[in-house]
Each structure stands twice: as structure tokens, then as C-alpha cells.
Amino acid sequence: MSGVAELPLHGGSVPRWMLKLMERMSGAIVEAIVELYGPGALIRGLSDPLWFQAFNNVIGMDWDSSGSTTVLLGVLKAVTWRKPELGVLVLGGKGSRMLGVPEESVKAGELLGLDPSSIARFSKLAARLDSVFLQDGYTLYHHSVVASRDGVVVVQQGMNVEKGLARRYHVDRAVVEEPHSGIAGIPGQAINATASESRDARRAYLDILAEGPSRAVRLLGEANRMLEAKPSLEDYTRGGGLKRGNLIGLKPYYYPVKPSKQILKAIEDLAKFNPTNELELALAPSLGPKTLRALALIADLIYRVETSTKDPVTHPPNPFIYAYAVGGKDRIPYPYDRRTAEKVILTLEEAVNKAKLGEREKLKAILKLRKLLPPTQPSKLTPEITHPYHRALAGIHMRLM
């Protein structure tokens, strides 16, 4: 996972006329990137939460809106499926569209020469990582897979209704440990079984399941008693019962997990599945947030192996690190400039068409405009770029890492 971004939940929608312009501009930018750098460059860019947000700002969406994720990915999905010859496709989407990934993977496999099962497996792993192994209070409601021969990235988003925030996750590696390379958001509490500090805990999860469902259930009951400082029979035989105070709430997973029928069945199914490594565990059937929390509780209280509670946030939101090309939908930092947007689109489309014919000079010249912007304050323009049209072209150049 290459990064996470956190954004306020916003309502509303993009006007139809503006959405069409966003599609055209996105299409021109994607074609320019693919023409000059190949599909892999687009994958690398979208895996970076800051690059993703910069792309979003360039086409006219807002820097701090949860809708930036759903709109940009929706636009890119329309663009890429309309031109599969670009070598990259966006699958899935918001709400029920998330469930369409397996079926779309088959079509993507045919068009791009990819293994549909690998795409579907990566999609499932990414969803499990950010809903089970990382429990940070956000519920996933958007899940997109961006696939090409040069790589795959999953961009998904969760919401926390109480906080009024959305958090965006970028997953570009099929691993469980340390999948985040950067996170933009507000730090909070989390159960982070993806952290390197949780490596021993993940091994403990596997050991607990290997001991069989009956013992795992007994250990869960013992862990619950320890949380509430209720002495067990063993404590009494040692003399005097448990001597510690109530532990509930001292850690994000220090809450009793009731051995409900659902939990009992999940533990039984997992034991039968018998995962031998953390990747198999992440993809195992019946593994949900409560079951993982039960395993974390047992590992900590019974075996003294802690699961990390570090929220993997590394970058606070900052509107001044982005380039604004044609304004914003909600008039921030200035109203959307339709006239300039249309002119920029025509210029980009013309440059891309010429580049396809071997004339790359104009497209490269557009990218060189970026050099006229101050390196330390990319959102402010030097006197050399004052016209909205030139300012927009300069803002469109986003450095690929």
C-alpha cells in the first residue's frame, strides 16, 4: 500500500457540463502520460496520495473533498474503458460498483492480456487490509482497481460518519506488512496489524488458529475475563485471584469480544482453512474485524504479544502543495474557469495527437512550463506566468516519481 489521504465528507454533485470537461481534460492528461512515459507511470502516480490529489485539483475538483476520490476515479474509469488501447483500465467504483470487480477483471484480462484471477485476488487482499488488518474507524464504501501490464494499484476510500471524514487508501503491493508508504490525514487510534511491529502478533494469530477452534474459544473467554479483572479458577488455585485493575479501553482492542455464533463459526472456519502464512490468513474465508480483534486480544493478554496501535498517518492535509489549473468546483481557491479549461483541453488534445504522429515537441514544451513555477511554493505563480491559460498549462505538469 503506497499511501492514505484523509478528507472531509462532502455532499453535492458535479454539474454535468463540468463533468464532461473534467473527462476530456483527464483523458488528455492520461494520454499524454502514457504517450511519454507509458501506462506504468500512471499507475505509479495514482499510487501516491499527493499525486492523486494533485490530478484531482488540476481537473477542477476540490482539494479537501471526499468526492475528489469518487469523481476522479469515475472519470478515469470512463476514459480508460472508452480507450482500452491506452493499456490501463479502472475497475470497480462506489457502493455496489465495488462488487463488479471480479466480472470486470475478466474483461480487463481479455483487453490487456492480464490474469483475471490475479486482479481479483489483489482486489480482495486490498479490501481485507483496510477493513480487517487496519481498523481505524473508517468503513470502506469505494473500491477501485487500476490495472495495466506494468502494475496494479487499488484506490479505496472509507468514511467515518461521526468524525465527518473520509480516508483514502492506495494499495500497490500484494503484501500484509507495512503496505503504506505515506498517509495524509489526522492521526487517531487504530488496530494496525499491518505494521512491522505487529509481525510477531500475526505469527501468534496463526499459532492460535493452529491449536484448534475449541482451544481458541477457551483462550478468548480467558482473555475477556482478564480484561474485566475477573479471576479464573487457575487464579484462585494460585492464591487470591487476579490482582490487576480493569483493562478495558487501555488499548484500541482492549474490549471484550463476545463469543457469538458468528465469532465461533468464523474461528472454526479459519481453523479448518488452516492458513500457514499471513497472506493466506488475510485471504481466508470468514476473517472479519471482530475475529481479528479476538485474535489480537488473545495474542496480547495470553501470550504477551502486542498488536500495534499506531495509526499509519504521516502527512497532514495541506492545500498549498497542490497545483490549481482551472479553479475549483466549489470556487476554491477561485471559481472554475470554463473558458480556460476548454482552451487547455484543446491545446492538450492537439499536442497528444501530434505526439502520436511522432511530433512530441509541443507536448514536451507544455511540460517545460512547470519550470517557471517557484520550487518551494507550487501553488503561487511567478510574474512570467500570469495569463490563466498559461497558468493552467503550467499547473497540469505533475512530476512523476
Side-chain angles (χ1 to χ4, degrees):
M1 194 176 300
S2 61
V4 179
E6 198 162 54
L7 303 164
L9 287 171
H10 281 191
S13 59
V14 181
R16 191 170 184 82
W17 64 266
M18 189 183 295
L19 189 62
K20 289 183 177 180
L21 290 177
M22 288 179 176
E23 281 193 17
R24 283 186 64 190
M25 186 174 289
S26 296
I29 292 173
V30 168
E31 287 198 65
I33 291 172
V34 171
E35 179 67 26
L36 292 177
Y37 307 112
L42 182 63
I43 297 294
R44 291 193 298 274
L46 295 176
S47 69
D48 183 329
L50 300 183
W51 194 97
F52 184 100
Q53 195 65 35
F55 196 149
N56 161 81
N57 296 140
V58 160
I59 67 172
M61 277 299 290
D62 312 303
W63 76 270
D64 68 339
S65 171
S66 61
S68 63
T69 303
T70 57
V71 170
L72 179 56
L73 288 170
V75 164
L76 291 177
K77 184 172 184 178
V79 168
T80 56
W81 282 94
R82 191 159 53 239
K83 293 186 175 183
E85 63 271 18
L86 290 170
V88 59
L89 291 170
V90 178
L91 292 62
K94 181 180 177 181
S96 60
R97 293 185 180 90
M98 296 189 294
L99 304 177
V101 171
E103 181 179 349
E104 291 174 347
S105 295
V106 176
K107 297 178 182 177
E110 295 173 353
L111 291 170
L112 302 180
L114 301 174
D115 178 12
S117 62
S118 295
I119 298 175
R121 179 184 173 88
F122 189 88
S123 169
K124 181 179 180 180
L125 174 63
R128 281 284 179 86
L129 289 175
D130 289 329
S131 61
V132 177
F133 278 72
L134 175 61
Q135 298 181 37
D136 52 10
Y138 293 80
T139 303
L140 295 182
Y141 71 96
H142 186 110
H143 176 90
S144 290
V145 181
V146 188
S148 80
R149 283 189 174 184
D150 297 329
V152 181
V153 60
V154 168
V155 183
Q156 52 197 5
Q157 187 157 283
M159 70 168 68
N160 185 315
V161 178
E162 292 183 359
K163 292 183 178 179
L165 292 171
R167 181 177 285 194
R168 186 175 63 242
Y169 310 84
H170 301 244
V171 186
D172 63 355
R173 298 167 57 217
V175 298
V176 175
E177 181 170 301
E178 293 295 352
H180 302 85
S181 67
I183 300 174
I186 303 170
Q189 286 193 328
I191 301 172
N192 187 2
T194 68
S196 59
E197 295 87 347
S198 297
R199 185 180 303 161
D200 290 340
R202 293 192 299 271
R203 291 171 181 163
Y205 304 163
L206 294 169
D207 292 340
I208 292 166
L209 292 172
E211 292 180 2
S214 298
R215 178 164 172 76
V217 172
R218 287 199 302 272
L219 292 175
L220 178 58
E222 179 63 20
N224 284 332
R225 284 191 294 272
M226 293 174 71
L227 272 181
E228 299 171 346
K230 294 179 179 178
S232 65
L233 179 59
E234 184 179 357
D235 293 320
Y236 281 117
T237 59
R238 289 178 177 176
L242 201 62
K243 293 270 192 303
R244 73 177 71 172
N246 192 304
L247 301 176
I248 293 177
L250 293 182
K251 294 181 182 179
Y253 55 89
Y254 268 19
Y255 293 92
V257 178
K258 184 180 179 180
S260 62
K261 290 183 179 179
Q262 182 182 8
I263 291 293
L264 296 177
K265 186 178 185 307
I267 292 176
E268 184 176 347
D269 290 345
L270 285 169
K272 288 181 179 178
F273 187 77
N274 191 28
T276 58
N277 58 61
E278 58 189 30
L279 196 57
E280 289 182 1
L281 176 62
L283 294 168
S286 301
L287 181 66
K290 284 187 177 180
T291 306
L292 186 128
R293 190 155 59 85
L295 293 172
L297 200 59
I298 295 170
D300 190 327
L301 294 178
I302 304 299
Y303 295 108
R304 301 294 189 267
V305 181
E306 297 184 6
T307 296
S308 174
T309 58
K310 179 183 67 177
D311 189 343
V313 171
T314 56
H315 296 79
N318 184 351
F320 300 108
I321 62 175
Y322 303 124
Y324 298 94
V326 294
K329 176 180 71 70
D330 290 342
R331 306 175 68 85
I332 297 175
Y334 48 86
Y336 185 88
D337 188 341
R338 180 173 184 171
R339 187 174 180 180
T340 298
E342 290 173 341
K343 190 173 181 180
V344 167
I345 289 169
L346 290 174
T347 301
L348 283 173
E349 289 177 341
E350 179 187 2
V352 169
N353 289 333
K354 287 186 176 181
K356 290 178 180 178
L357 298 175
E359 301 176 24
R360 295 189 171 190
E361 288 75 16
K362 186 168 185 176
L363 190 55
K364 291 180 178 179
I366 291 174
L367 300 186
K368 288 181 180 179
L369 282 173
R370 174 64 178 82
K371 295 181 180 179
L372 297 178
L373 294 179
T376 56
Q377 293 181 309
S379 65
K380 297 180 180 179
L381 302 171
T382 56
E384 289 86 349
I385 305 181
T386 57
H387 193 282
Y389 167 64
H390 296 136
R391 179 178 63 190
L393 287 177
I396 279 174
H397 179 236
M398 296 167 288
R399 185 177 300 277
L400 292 171
M401 301 303 292

